[in-house]
Amino acid sequence: MPRTVLLAEDDRAIRHALERALTLEGYRVTAVADGAEALAEAHRGRPDVLVLDVMMPGVDGLQVCRELRAEGDATPILMLTALVETADRIAGLDAGADDYVVKPFDVEEVFARLRALLRRTDRTERTDRTERTDPAERAEADADDRAAPPEDAPDDRYPQAAGLRMDPRARRAWRDGRELELTRTEFELLELLVRNAGTVLDHSTIYDRIWGYDFGPGSKNLAVYVGYLRRKLDQPGAPQLIQTVRGVGYVLRAD
C-alpha cells in the first residue's frame, strides 16, 4: 500500500509542484490550501505523515500542529518554513513538529526527511506490538508507565546517565526525578546521547542514527534540536549536560 501524505501549502505553485513530485515518488497525496482544510482532512483521512507550511492564512501550520498534538495525534509532521531564524524553528518544534525543511528546498531533501520520519514511526510501532503482545508484559508495561524507573534498573532497559533516566518503551524521560516533556525527535536524540554518555558522537553519526540521512555540513537541524534539548534539560548555574565538541559533534557528560 502506498504511504499517504497530507500536504497543506497556500502557495499554489509550490503545492502543485510538491504534490506532483510526491505522487511520482509513489505517495498517495491529499493537497489542501489552508490549515482549516488540513485539520478536516487529518480527522477524516488519518494520513501516514503531514507536510505543513508554517505561514498560511487563517489557521497556520503551527496551529494545526498544536491542535493535533493536543488531541493525542502522534502522526509525524514535517514543517515547511521560509523562516530561517533559530527561534522560528524552535516554535515549530515546540508546537510538536517532528522535523522541518527551510524554503527554498530541494525536493530530494523532502523525500529523505519523509522516509526518515516514516522509518522511525514504523520502528516504534513494531516495538510496541512486540513488547505488548503478552498479557503479563502488557501489565508490566502499564505499571512501568505510572512511575519513573528505579535507580537500580538495568541500563539496557532503562538507560541512564548524569541524573537522566529513560524508559524507551513508554517513551518517557526524567532528570533528577522530574519528568521531561519531549517530542519524538528530542527523545530519540537524548536516548542516543544517554546510551553513549561520555563518548563524542560526530554530526554524521547522529544524523544517520536519528534521521537516517546526513543533510550535510550546512544543515542547522541538529544544532536546533540540541539547543532545544538544552532548554529542557539544563538547570540554572549548572554546567550543560550536552556539550559541544567544536568541529566534531556532541557528547553527554558521563558524571
Side-chain angles (χ1 to χ4, degrees), residues 3-242:
R3 309 307 290 266
T4 57
V5 177
L6 173 55
L7 167 65
E9 166 63 67
D10 66 311
D11 185 301
R12 180 181 298 178
I14 295 176
R15 184 173 68 253
H16 287 175
L18 194 51
E19 179 182 11
R20 176 175 173 77
L22 288 167
T23 300
L24 291 174
E25 189 69 6
Y27 294 98
R28 189 167 72 245
V29 184
T30 298
V32 298
D34 59 56
E37 288 184 82
L39 280 172
E41 286 294 336
H43 292 148
R44 179 164 45 244
R46 307 297 299 179
D48 293 314
V49 64
L50 287 85
V51 179
L52 302 175
D53 181 35
V54 171
M55 302 293 289
M56 292 186 289
V59 179
D60 64 20
L62 296 180
Q63 291 174 283
V64 172
C65 192
R66 291 190 191 98
E67 178 68 23
L68 292 175
R69 295 302 188 239
E71 295 170 359
D73 190 326
T75 303
I77 296 176
L78 176 66
M79 305 295 289
L80 305 177
T81 178
L83 305 174
V84 297
E85 295 299 324
T86 299
D88 296 316
R89 299 175 187 180
I90 287 176
L93 304 179
D94 196 27
D98 294 285
D99 203 354
Y100 66 88
V101 174
V102 176
K103 298 178 182 178
F105 52 79
D106 187 323
V107 70
E108 291 297 331
E109 182 179 359
V110 174
F111 293 161
R113 292 179 186 269
L114 287 178
R115 288 193 298 268
L117 286 176
L118 290 168
R119 279 197 302 271
R120 288 157 54 196
T121 301
D122 291 343
R123 185 167 64 242
T124 299
E125 290 176 351
R126 285 197 302 271
T127 299
D128 288 344
R129 286 196 299 270
T130 300
E131 293 183 341
R132 304 206 179 197
T133 300
D134 182 83
E137 290 183 348
R138 284 202 305 271
E140 182 181 358
D142 290 341
D144 288 342
D145 287 349
R146 288 192 289 269
E151 293 186 5
D152 59 351
D155 289 346
D156 57 342
R157 183 173 177 185
Y158 299 109
Q160 49 190 294
L164 292 164
R165 296 205 303 278
M166 307 190 73
D167 183 349
R169 179 166 54 187
R171 303 189 72 79
R172 298 174 70 188
W174 297 261
R175 181 176 186 190
D176 298 328
R178 174 178 61 88
E179 185 162 6
L180 306 170
E181 294 186 8
L182 304 175
T183 65
R184 180 199 306 266
T185 301
E186 290 167 359
F187 185 91
E188 293 183 358
L189 177 56
L190 183 59
E191 182 185 359
L192 178 63
L193 291 168
V194 168
R195 288 189 182 277
N196 294 276
T199 300
V200 178
L201 300 177
D202 61 56
H203 297 93
S204 295
T205 297
I206 298 175
Y207 272 121
D208 182 66
R209 294 285 296 276
I210 302 302
W211 285 274
Y213 185 85
D214 187 347
F215 297 106
S219 175
K220 302 294 186 182
N221 208 44
L222 178 55
V224 169
Y225 276 98
V226 168
Y228 203 55
L229 264 181
R230 283 171 173 162
R231 289 160 62 97
K232 295 185 177 183
L233 292 175
D234 291 342
Q235 299 170 344
Q240 288 183 331
L241 285 184
I242 303 174

